[in-house]
Amino acid sequence: MPNITSIQPPTAQKLAGNQWRLSVTYTATFSAFEVANFNFRDAIQVWEDDPFDDDRLTGWRNDANFNPGAASVVRTKTTTVSGDTLDTELGGEEIFMKIRLFNVDLNTPPVVKTSSNINLAP
């Protein structure tokens, strides 16, 4: 089963027109059998951390199939989100990303891991 490890803190870059580019880099690990035989797909979601109930800000984005080619592969996922979407409450926002990884050939249940938070003021 694939695994998601070494998730780096997300990065955010303010773009023109109240848009934000959000990225997260992680390491995907695989067994030798998986590397030799299967393809995988990963994607990201953007969330806002709340004390009682986190807010999902986007659906799964940047879906991409890949053949790992090695037991450990560093992947960077990026998406663009409007400042209006990110601005869910008064003051700054605590944004995190979920990463989903699964075996495309076997259609196994995905592995989903969460990044740390970053603070934004959209």
Side-chain angles (χ1 to χ4, degrees):
M1 172 179 237
N3 197 16
I4 296 170
T5 64
S6 302
I7 303 171
Q8 301 300 308
T11 61
Q13 177 185 8
K14 187 166 173 58
L15 306 173
N18 196 27
Q19 297 291 309
W20 289 79
R21 179 177 297 128
L22 305 175
S23 298
V24 65
T25 299
Y26 75 96
T27 301
T29 59
F30 308 91
S31 70
F33 184 76
E34 288 173 321
V35 171
N37 294 287
F38 300 118
N39 294 296
F40 295 85
R41 177 179 294 162
D42 60 359
I44 54 173
Q45 262 184 349
V46 180
W47 288 71
E48 200 271 327
D49 186 19
D50 276 334
F52 302 109
D53 193 21
D54 297 337
D55 298 317
R56 182 175 60 93
L57 303 181
T58 70
W60 291 108
R61 293 183 168 188
N62 196 355
D63 278 305
N65 289 354
F66 66 99
N67 183 308
S72 180
V73 179
V74 175
R75 304 275 296 163
T76 298
K77 305 298 289 180
T78 301
T79 190
T80 301
V81 181
S82 76
D84 292 337
T85 298
L86 296 172
D87 192 8
T88 64
E89 59 196 16
L90 292 174
E93 307 295 337
E94 298 80 31
I95 303 297
F96 66 92
M97 299 171 85
K98 288 188 177 182
I99 304 163
R100 177 180 71 184
L101 174 66
F102 69 95
N103 184 316
V104 175
D105 299 314
L106 298 179
N107 199 24
T108 56
V111 175
V112 178
K113 297 275 180 108
T114 301
S115 74
S116 59
N117 290 354
I118 58 169
N119 294 314
L120 294 181

